[in-house]
Amino acid sequence: MVDNASFYVTTPIYYVNDRPHIGHAYTSLACDIIARFKRLDGHDVFFLTGTDEHGQKIAQSAAQNGVDPQTFTDHVSKTFRDLASALDFSHDDFIRTTEQRHKSVCQLLWKELEARGHIYLDTYSGWYCVSDEAYYDENELIKQPDGSFQTALGKSVEWLEEENYFFRLSAFETKLLDLYERQPDFVMPKSRLNEVRSFVSSGLKDIAISRTTFDWGVPVPGNERHVMYVWLDALTNYVSALGVPNSENPHYAKFWPASLHVVGKDILRFHAVYWPAFLLGADWPLPERVFAHGWWTNEGQKISKSLGNAIDPLELVQTYGLDQTRYFMMREVPFGNDGDFSRSAMETRMNSDLANAYGNLAQRVLSMIFKNCNGLLPDMSPLNETDTALLNQINNLLPSVRVQINNQEFHKSLEEIWRGISAANSYVDDQAPWALKKNDPDRMAVVLAVLHEVVRKITLLLQPFMPSTTGKLLDSLSVDQAHRDFSYWEHKVLSGTVIEKPQGLFPRYEAR
Ligand code: MSP
C-alpha cells in the first residue's frame, strides 16, 4: 500500500576544507537512492544536503590558503555542489551554515536551551582535535613515543584552556537510554545501537558548546565574544533548512521530524547522542532514525591524507560511467559495513552484472521484438506456467525492495533484482525465441512480450540506482514518461506499441 506521507532524508553537511572524495559521494548517493525510491513510491520527499563551513578547522584552512574564510568557503562549497550535479543527486535543497537562515535558527536553539537551564559558563581544560572538531578525554587518546597524544585514528590533538559555555549533557543519560529502549531502530544498524548505548551508559560528561579563541562561527546570543561550537551549529542545519521551527511554518510542520539522517560511522556519536540531547533539551521533536554506514578503503589501504590515496568520485565517473559508479558503490558492500574499493572489482561488476546480465537481457529482448515482430510489441497471451512463474517472481520484487529500502539494505535489493535478471536470462535460453521464430511464431511473440514486461518492471525498480541509463532504457521499451512511478507498476505497455531499434546501454569495460 502506498501512502503519501512526507519523507525527509539528510546527508551530513560536508566540511569545506577538502576536495570531495568517495566518502562524501557515498553518503549522498545512499540518500539520493532513498529519496528517488520514495518519490517513485508516492511520498512527498525532502532531500537535504549542504556544507559545514564554520569552526577552527575551516578558519585554519582559509588562512593556509591566504584568503578570508568567506571567500574560501564560497569556493569550496561550490565544489560540493558540482559533485552533487555530476553524480546526479536529486536533493531539494543545499544548505550552507554561513547562510543567515541557518544562523538565526542556531541562535534560537541556543536560547531555548539556555532558557531551560541546560547551559552554563565554565572553563574547559582538556584535549581538542581540530580535524574532528571534537573534545577528547585523555583515556580516549593514544600516547606517542615523544609524549604527545593522538586519537585512535592517528589525528593530532591540542591542549585547550578556555572559557566556554557548557551543555548539561550529563543530565540526559536516562532520557537517551529511554529513547534507545523505546525506539530501537533510532540507530541502525543494530550493532551501532549497541555501541551508542554502551557509550551513554558508561556515563556522559557535560560538553563545551562555545569557543573564544577564534571568531569564525555563529555568535552566541548575549555574549558575542563566544562563537557556537561547530557541531551544535552544524547539527542544527537539519532543522534550519526547513525555516523557523514552529507549527505555523508549513514546511517545518510537514517535514520535521526528519525520517532519516544518513551518516558515516565516525560521526555517529554526534548524531545519536549529542543531537537528540540538544533536541530533548529544547523540547523539539526527535528524528526517527540515524543510519551509520561504514568506510571505504582503497585497494585494501585506509584512505588518508598522508597517503594521498583519496578516491576522486569524478574520476570514477569519467573512467567507468556515472550509473556504473553508482551501481558499484551500492552493490559491492552491504550498506553499514566497511568495504574495499578496487578497480578489478569495479570492472568485474561493470562487465558481468551490467553488460552481460542486465544490458544483454534488455538488448536481446528489444532487438528480437524490433527484428522479429515488425517493431511492434506483441500481445502477452496466452501465458503458460513457466511464463507466469517468471512474471510472479518479478512482480514480488516491488514489495521486497520497498522493505529493503526502508531498512537501508540496498545491496539486498540489488541482489534480489539480479536474481530476477538471471531468471529472465535463463528463460530466454530455455524458451529460445530464435528457434520459435520458425516453428511457432505465436509462442515466440508471447515469450518476447513476457520478457518486455519483465525488463520494464526491473528497469522501473532500478531507476533510483541508475537514473540516466534506466531513463534511456524505459524510452526504448516505449514506457510513457508519465508512467514510470510505482503506481504504474501493473500498467503494461499496450500491445501494438512501436519498439525502435535499441541502442546498447551498458558497454563492457575495456582497459585503455
Ligand atoms: N561536517 C561533518 C558533518 C556534520 S553533519 C551535521 C563531517 N564532514 S565530513 O566532510 O568530514 O564527512 C562527511 C562524511 O564522509 C561522513 O559521513 C564520513 O563518514 C564520510 N566519509 C569520510 N571518509 C570516508 C570513507 N573513507 N568511506 C566512507 N565514508 C567516509 O563529518
Side-chain angles (χ1 to χ4, degrees), residues 11-12 14 20-34 47 83 87 89 262-265 291-297 311 313 316 325-340 408 410-411:
T11 74
Y14 303 114
H21 58 64
I22 194 169
H24 306 114
Y26 187 51
T27 321
S28 293
L29 174 60
C31 295
D32 184 56
I33 288 165
I34 298 169
F47 166 20
L83 173 78
L87 289 178
F89 296 151
V262 181
V263 301
K265 62 179 185 180
F291 189 101
H293 66 67
W295 270 44
W296 286 95
T297 49
I311 300 168
L316 294 183
T325 302
R326 290 175 59 112
Y327 171 78
F328 176 82
M329 286 198 264
M330 288 296 118
R331 175 65 186 81
E332 185 65 10
V333 178
F335 200 60
N337 294 7
D338 290 337
D340 185 43
Q408 291 78 53
F410 309 99
H411 62 289

Side-chain angles (χ1 to χ4, degrees), residues 12-15 21 23-24 26-27 52 231 234-235 237-238 263-264 266-267 271 293-296 303:
I13 49 171
Y14 303 114
Y15 285 131
H21 58 64
H24 306 114
Y26 187 51
T27 321
D52 188 353
W231 272 100
L235 288 160
N237 91 89
Y238 301 131
V263 301
D266 52 318
I267 56 174
H271 284 81
H293 66 67
W295 270 44
W296 286 95
I303 297 177

Side-chain angles (χ1 to χ4, degrees), residues 98-117:
T98 44
E99 292 174 277
Q100 191 48 49
R101 61 169 173 159
H102 171 73
K103 294 191 226 172
S104 51
V105 176
C106 287
Q107 292 180 325
L108 182 70
L109 175 60
W110 184 283
K111 286 188 214 149
E112 301 270 351
L113 293 174
E114 196 169 40
R116 288 170 172 74

